[in-house]
Amino acid sequence: MQHPCMDLDQLILRLLEAHPIADQTDLLERLSAEGHELTQSTLSRRLKRLGVQKVQGRYRRVEGSAQILPDITITEAPPNLLVLRTAPGFAQALGLSLDADPIPGQVGTLAGDDTVFVAVLPERLAEVKAHLARMAAGR
């Protein structure tokens, strides 16, 4: 069975391809007509995660942005902290993306210039680390 978020992501991308959507209110109304009720802030976070931006007055998926992300290393700091190291200047964006779509067990993040601290429920530390490692490898 496919994850419901994936269905919603696919629907958003299909709607953006099929219609010249110029504002999020229009997209929210179209999603509502398809049975998906979202707040504007939830939609904004989802669009960001999907790589959708407003280009020439209409929302579109911008390809290729994932290819410029630097490597990420993950270190455990038990009992409940993961330390993510990345290239200088990228930690803030990484922290924001983690906060926009938190992993179950993730409590919060704190980002500097090249380091992100991810607070995790102690019993979920290994699970969250594995999920982040898969995410970093698959970007």
Side-chain angles (χ1 to χ4, degrees):
M1 182 174 142
Q2 197 170 28
H3 192 278
C5 289
M6 292 305 219
D7 292 337
L8 179 57
D9 289 348
Q10 291 170 354
L11 175 61
I12 289 169
L13 294 173
R14 276 198 314 270
L15 288 171
L16 293 176
E17 284 295 315
H19 307 281
I21 297 174
D23 64 44
Q24 290 185 12
T25 304
D26 183 12
L27 183 53
L28 284 169
E29 289 170 359
R30 291 175 189 275
L31 289 168
S32 179
E34 296 282 339
H36 295 276
E37 296 295 330
L38 292 153
T39 64
Q40 188 276 326
S41 60
T42 299
L43 178 60
S44 270
R45 287 190 302 271
R46 192 171 287 273
L47 291 175
K48 183 175 182 174
R49 194 188 58 186
L50 289 170
V52 172
Q53 297 177 5
K54 201 169 199 180
V55 178
Q56 296 176 341
R58 113 177 230 201
Y59 283 94
R60 302 171 194 236
R61 189 171 198 180
V62 178
E63 299 292 336
S65 60
Q67 297 171 353
I68 62 168
L69 292 179
D71 289 335
I72 300 168
T73 60
I74 304 169
T75 306
E76 283 186 35
N80 68 327
L81 196 60
L82 295 170
V83 181
L84 283 62
R85 298 290 308 236
T86 188
F90 283 89
Q92 293 281 322
L94 178 58
L96 283 171
S97 70
L98 292 173
D99 285 341
D101 192 21
I103 301 159
Q106 175 185 323
V107 179
T109 63
L110 177 65
D113 184 51
D114 63 356
T115 305
V116 179
F117 294 106
V118 182
V120 179
L121 296 173
E123 65 273 12
R124 307 287 298 266
L125 187 67
E127 182 182 341
V128 172
K129 180 182 178 186
H131 183 91
L132 288 172
R134 286 191 302 273
M135 182 188 77
R139 60 179 179 11

